[in-house]
Every structure is written in C-alpha cells, then in structure tokens.
Amino acid sequence: MASVPSLASSLHQRIADALSAALPEAGAADPLLRRSDRADFQANGMLALAKKLKGNPRELAAKVVEGLPAGDLIKEVEVSGPGFLNITITDEAIVKTLAARAADDRLGVPFAEHPGTTVIDYAQPNVAKEMHVGHLRNSVIGDAVVRILEFSGEKVVRRHHIGDWGTQFGMLIQYLIEHPHELDHEGEVSGEEAMSSLNRLYKASRTLFDSDEEFKARARRRVVDLQAGDEETLALWQRFVDESKIYFYSVFDKLDVEIRDEDIVGESGYNDMLAETCRLLEESGVAVRSNGALCVFFDDVKGPDGKPSPLIVQKSDGGFGYAATDLSAIRDRVGNLKADTLLYVVDARQSLHFKMVFETARRAGWLTDEVKAVQLGFGTVLGKDGKPFKTREGETVRLVDLLDEAIDRATAVVREKAQDLTEEQIAERGAQVGIGAVKYADLSTSVSRDYKFDLDQMVSLNGDTSVYLQYAFARIQSILRKAGEARPAAHPELALAPAERALGMHLDQFGENLAEVTASYEPHKLAGYLYQLASLYTTFYAECPVLKAETPQQVENRLFLCDLTARTLRQGMSLLGIRTPEQL
C-alpha cells in the first residue's frame, strides 16, 4: 500500500498552493508550518515573504485565507498578529487519515526515498574477556539503529569488530599449550561456564607472564607464530574465539539482541590487508616515517606538549596499531561491501581516534564524497552517585550481573501486579520488562550524553520508563479483549473530544518522527514520541469511556483509537528492540 501523507504535509501543500496563487511572483514559497498551542497548526511564512516583497503581511495572509478551500481538511483559519495563520483541522480529516494508516501494515509510514547501504559497527566485545557495563550501550544503541534503518528500507550490513587479536593471545595460547586441559569440557557448556574457564585461564597465564621471564619470552615468540599463521597456534587461537562466542551469545541472548555469526568480523579479519594499507598510505605520501613509525600528521591535533600528535599506523617495531585495522576495515567496507554510509557505535572517548582515521581515509581516497562516515559516540553509564558505574569493590560491573538484577526487580513488579498469570508467565514477562527497562533507560537518553543507571527508577510504573509504555499497551489489549462483539471501526462523521483529538493528531505524526530519527540516528527521539503517545493515551483513557461510550458508533471509534495506539506503540517499541507483553 502507498504511504499515507500526514495531516501536516497535506495542509502544507494546501497553504503553499494558496500562497503561490495569491503571490505568483513569489514562486514556490514555504508556509513555515508548525504545531501550535493556539490551534492545531500555525503558518508563519507570510511574514518573511511580505517583508521580502515589501508588502503588508496581514493583507497577504488574508489573501491566502481566501484561496484556501474549506471543508474536508480545514475547519477554521484565523489571521493572528502580524500575519500568522492559526489553523484547526476537521475531526473528519483526523479520523480519515488515521483510518488510512490503520489499513496499512506499516501504519502508513513510507520507505526512504533513496535507500542506500549502511555498514554499522557495533557490539564489539573482546575475546577471552568478560562483557561489562561498558558493552551495554554499543549493543543496545546499535541494535535499535539497525532496526530503524532496516524499517526505512535501507540495506544494512552489521559488523561486530570483536577484539580477537593482539599480544595477550601469545600469553594465553602458550599457557594452553603448557596446560592442555584447561579448556576441556564434557558435553554442552553454558555461557557462564565458558567465561569461568576463560577467566581462570586468563588470570593464571597473566600471573605466570608477570612472574616468569622464560614464560614471558615463550609467550612473545608465540605472538610472532600467531601473526605468521602457524597452524597449531591458529588452531588454539580459534578455540579461544569459539569458547568466547558461547559466552557472548549467552549475554546477547539475555539482552535480546540478535548477533549472527557471519556478521562477526574481528580485528583478525583484516590481517591480510594491513601491510598493503600501510604501503598504500606511504606511497601516496598520506603517511610518513617518523622515528621508525609510520604516522599521519594533522595541523589541528597536538599533544599536551604542543607538538603534533600523529595517528600511528605502524609502530617502529613493525607491529600494526588499531589505526591500521580500522583503515583496512574502511577499505573493505567501501570497496567490497559497497557502503555509502559507515556508522560506528563507539564510546565518545574514542572520537579523536576516529576523527583522524576518517580524515586519513579521505586523504587516501578510500572515503569519497559519495560515502559518509559517522561515529555515534555514546556517553558513559554512571552509578547513582554520578560517577562511572563500579561495584562496591571498585571493579567494573559485569553486564550479566546487571541484567540479572534488572530481571529480578522487574519480576517482582510483575508478580505484584499479575492477575491470572502462571509462574512461567511471570518469569517470561519479568525478563521482557527488566530487559526493556534497561534498554529504554539507555535509548531515551541522547546517545552522546551520560546517564545514571538507577534500577528503582527504570522499573517504575510511573514516569518516562518502558514499564509505563508496556503497561499502556497491556491495558489496551485488556480493553480489546473485553470488547466482546464490538470491533474497532473508524467513524469520521463523529465529533471528537479534546483528548481524542490530541491522541489522533499525535498518532498521525509517527511517520514524520521516524523519518527524523532515521536521518539523525537519534533513537531517543522515537522513545520521546512513544512516551508522549502513552501519556496522551492515559489522558484519553481517563476522560473518554471506551466500552461505556454513549453510542455503539462511539464505542467502535474509541476502540479504533485504542487499537491504532497499541499498534503504534508495539511497532515503535519493536524498533527500539523492546518487547510489548499482551498482559502485565
């Protein structure tokens, strides 16, 4: 089905046409339409246009009003102040537009006009290390952005740039060679068991590495073997990767974030490109040798001492830095994956690194004018005290512990409110509410800002929380179940109460909101839209009896508003990666 134009876009076109008719010499003019608290909309374009043409704005506004057809869309127009138009939409137009939205699986939301290919780099844990609270935001934000972009029609290629290479693997592999049964398991192993054995092995190998010079030398030789592609070394390295994946997947599964094996391309995936990346940079003069290292310099990047601080692509000992890997990844993503947008969901503290990497890629010609590279730099998760989130012992908080606590808290809330739910259903809803609460707290905050991790607030039924939105959805499902023979049906002939109008006007803005969110990669604007929708629904529920409305037609029309609100909530929450249980 074709997309449904919003009331705002229909009205914009009507006023633009009336403006062109009233002032042909002005050509195509923007009426500058916006929502207003004095009417449904206000058009301010007459002011600037009259000024430009040295005319009287009130006279021009009056001319425009004369040219506006009355009836189906516009109920009332008032010329206000120095030539503003205050415009009220008809109730009939609101309901007819909503009915067209309801008839479409996509709620009338159009696909993007010019979809392209976006490669998004997010959810990047490290092999043989536990996922901690710092891995929360890149996973949750990345997952939501993927869902939103795919809904718009964009081709999205996911990339999980896991930390699976580097000097610590020499230490781990050498230790495993000398203690061959440390990763042995009988039968299937859980994520927690996999991490436990990796942790134990990491600590033991680190202790030996720090205390035994001979082991340290053997471990360093093992790094050389790994980089040279020695078969035995690579096979043991692969065991670490596989064991870690068992653990990663168990955490991502709990977080309700889908990670596919084919999308995991870690640091090791670009190994074969590193030498060529360096050669191309050096031959083109983009990078130069400085004290033996291959560096790229920037006029505006200086260290604390005031001297230029370069991007080091290759170290003086011949080893490759993160920059070489990131630049090789850009070459692969643009050249082989044909990306026209590169998105990096990475901690804001790495913004200087990515600024230099992107600029280097542009100088080298790997990033062209046709390709944009964007870092979605996210802020830090803070504790209630406003400081970076740590355990009481000062350790980094394990992500799995944090998720388990959220699920426990949410399950207690569900159990308290539950009616006719079995223990199994309470546990399932508790997980959906708890994980939803964690995701929503993150996604309702602007990506670049820090936020406080406060579980008491997150699982509250009141305020801007996912539980409030899930509860609104569940309440609507309850009404629809109790409706009996009555069915949702739009009745454009009926007059709308103020709370019905407010809800209807907001429902109509869903597509416009999504277009803005998609263009700016700002999931918090979708979260804000959904919270306002749930708030307007709560007012509607309090002021407009649904099943006890005055006439059967009014019952059907209010059920229709309920149903469309529920579908919009469910679609919007789904795009944020949050589930909406039918019963709470």
Side-chain angles (χ1 to χ4, degrees):
M1 178 176 168
S3 64
V4 179
S6 68
L7 292 164
S9 60
S10 300
L11 183 60
H12 187 281
Q13 190 59 54
R14 293 271 180 101
I15 300 170
D17 291 347
L19 251 175
S20 297
L23 267 184
E25 65 272 28
D30 186 350
L32 299 178
L33 192 69
R34 61 180 182 80
R35 289 300 303 271
S36 169
D37 52 5
R38 304 203 170 167
D40 292 328
F41 295 96
Q42 188 173 77
N44 302 337
M46 278 53 70
L47 214 59
L49 204 56
K51 194 174 180 183
K52 182 178 160 190
L53 299 171
K54 299 185 170 49
N56 181 315
R58 275 190 75 90
E59 285 177 14
L60 173 57
K63 261 188 172 182
V64 171
V65 172
E66 280 174 32
L68 283 173
D72 62 330
L73 178 63
I74 299 168
K75 180 182 179 183
E76 194 181 334
V77 186
E78 174 204 18
V79 179
S80 160
F84 300 142
L85 297 185
N86 290 330
I87 304 152
T88 304
I89 301 291
T90 65
D91 291 352
E92 178 188 7
I94 294 173
V95 178
K96 278 186 171 173
T97 301
L98 295 183
R101 293 199 177 291
D104 178 31
D105 287 345
R106 289 176 55 84
L107 302 173
V109 177
F111 285 102
E113 281 183 35
H114 305 291
T117 299
T118 294
V119 175
I120 178 167
D121 188 329
Y122 69 107
Q124 311 106 340
N126 293 307
V127 165
K129 289 187 181 172
E130 279 200 285
M131 290 176 71
H132 53 78
V133 66
H135 293 110
L136 177 65
R137 298 207 73 186
N138 61 29
S139 307
V140 168
I141 293 164
D143 181 56
V145 171
V146 166
R147 290 164 180 268
I148 290 163
L149 287 175
E150 286 183 337
F151 188 71
S152 79
E154 183 81 355
K155 180 186 175 187
V156 179
V157 181
R158 311 157 192 220
R159 277 292 173 265
H160 307 297
H161 192 88
I162 63 171
D164 64 352
W165 207 246
T167 51
Q168 80 270 20
F169 285 98
M171 175 183 85
L172 288 163
I173 293 166
Q174 188 61 36
Y175 187 86
L176 191 59
I177 286 172
E178 295 173 16
H179 304 81
H181 301 297
E182 283 292 319
L183 280 184
D184 289 352
H185 301 293
E186 284 184 26
E188 204 168 309
V189 61
S190 72
E192 196 68 19
E193 288 166 338
M195 194 63 246
S196 175
S197 55
L198 285 168
N199 253 348
R200 190 175 63 249
L201 199 146
Y202 186 88
K203 284 175 182 170
S205 63
R206 168 56 70 183
T207 302
L208 198 56
F209 186 86
D210 291 341
S211 62
D212 183 333
E213 287 301 318
E214 289 184 6
F215 175 76
K216 185 181 280 189
R218 292 196 298 276
R220 285 185 169 150
R221 283 198 300 275
R222 188 60 60 182
V223 176
V224 177
D225 293 341
L226 177 63
Q227 290 174 339
D230 172 67
E231 275 189 34
E232 181 198 14
T233 307
L234 275 178
L236 290 169
W237 167 81
Q238 189 64 50
R239 280 191 70 187
F240 281 104
V241 173
D242 292 343
E243 192 86 3
S244 297
K245 280 183 179 178
I246 295 169
Y247 164 69
F248 294 160
Y249 289 145
S250 73
V251 180
F252 285 125
D253 192 48
K254 186 165 283 193
L255 192 53
D256 204 8
V257 167
E258 184 197 28
I259 303 290
R260 300 183 304 222
D261 212 55
E262 64 268 26
D263 300 327
I264 295 179
V265 183
E267 293 167 7
S268 63
Y270 305 100
N271 262 352
D272 297 345
M273 299 176 71
L274 300 180
E276 188 184 22
T277 294
C278 291
R279 180 179 61 77
L280 292 169
L281 288 172
E282 192 167 13
E283 284 177 2
S284 64
V286 172
V288 293
R289 292 283 165 186
S290 175
N291 297 325
L294 186 63
C295 303
V296 183
F297 288 91
F298 306 85
D299 294 337
D300 59 341
V301 182
K302 294 185 169 58
D305 55 1
K307 292 181 180 175
S309 180
L311 181 71
I312 299 172
V313 186
Q314 189 176 24
K315 293 176 268 190
S316 55
D317 65 2
F320 299 104
Y322 287 126
T325 309
D326 287 332
L327 288 163
S328 299
I330 288 176
R331 287 176 55 211
D332 176 59
R333 292 166 186 184
V334 176
N336 297 328
L337 300 178
K338 308 301 180 195
D340 34 50
T341 302
L342 300 178
L343 271 186
Y344 292 79
V345 187
V346 184
D347 193 315
R349 288 170 291 191
Q350 293 188 44
S351 58
L352 179 60
H353 169 78
F354 278 98
K355 178 186 172 186
M356 294 196 290
V357 164
F358 295 160
E359 175 58 27
T360 300
R362 291 213 176 276
R363 291 181 190 178
W366 303 330
L367 275 181
T368 64
D369 291 342
E370 283 72 53
V371 184
K372 68 174 179 177
V374 181
Q375 182 199 352
L376 286 186
F378 55 81
T380 306
V381 181
L382 307 174
K384 285 187 187 180
D385 57 2
K387 295 175 183 171
F389 203 11
K390 303 274 185 190
T391 64
R392 284 180 188 156
E393 294 74 37
E395 300 285 318
T396 305
V397 178
R398 293 190 340 148
L399 182 53
V400 72
D401 291 343
L402 187 140
L403 298 179
D404 283 341
E405 190 181 348
I407 291 168
D408 289 346
R409 294 280 191 95
T411 303
V413 171
V414 172
R415 180 173 280 111
E416 194 182 312
K417 291 277 176 189
Q419 295 175 342
D420 311 323
L421 292 181
T422 65
E423 273 302 309
E424 191 181 340
Q425 288 170 323
I426 288 171
E428 183 192 9
R429 305 291 198 283
Q432 292 176 350
V433 171
I435 297 303
V438 170
K439 287 184 172 183
Y440 186 84
D442 196 311
L443 295 169
S444 58
T445 307
S446 171
V447 168
S448 59
R449 284 180 52 201
D450 301 342
Y451 78 94
K452 288 183 184 177
F453 195 92
D454 181 350
L455 272 177
D456 292 329
Q457 173 56 29
M458 287 179 188
V459 299
S460 170
L461 283 165
N462 303 310
D464 189 3
T465 67
S466 69
V467 192
Y468 178 68
L469 304 186
Q470 288 169 322
Y471 191 67
F473 177 83
R475 175 187 270 167
I476 296 172
Q477 298 309 310
S478 173
I479 291 170
L480 294 171
R481 283 194 298 272
K482 290 174 185 169
E485 298 294 309
R487 287 281 170 269
H491 285 277
E493 73 282 3
L494 293 180
L496 297 177
E500 291 176 295
R501 289 188 105 259
L503 179 61
M505 293 289 288
H506 193 67
L507 281 167
D508 182 54
Q509 291 177 289
F510 184 51
E512 288 173 350
N513 175 271
L514 274 184
E516 187 183 344
V517 169
T518 304
S520 62
Y521 312 117
E522 292 181 299
H524 75 276
K525 290 185 174 175
L526 173 56
Y529 170 88
L530 295 171
Y531 173 59
Q532 199 180 346
L533 178 61
S535 301
L536 288 166
Y537 180 78
T538 301
T539 305
F540 160 81
Y541 180 79
E543 294 180 9
C544 304
V546 178
L547 301 180
K548 294 184 178 175
E550 291 174 12
T551 66
Q553 290 79 11
Q554 202 172 42
V555 170
E556 290 177 347
N557 202 53
R558 286 179 179 173
L559 282 172
F560 163 73
L561 286 173
C562 287
D563 187 49
L564 187 57
T565 300
R567 286 175 60 195
T568 306
L569 277 172
R570 183 172 56 204
Q571 180 63 76
M573 296 281 270
S574 170
L575 292 175
L576 295 178
I578 298 173
R579 301 199 181 262
T580 39
E582 302 268 323
Q583 256 178 303
L584 276 181

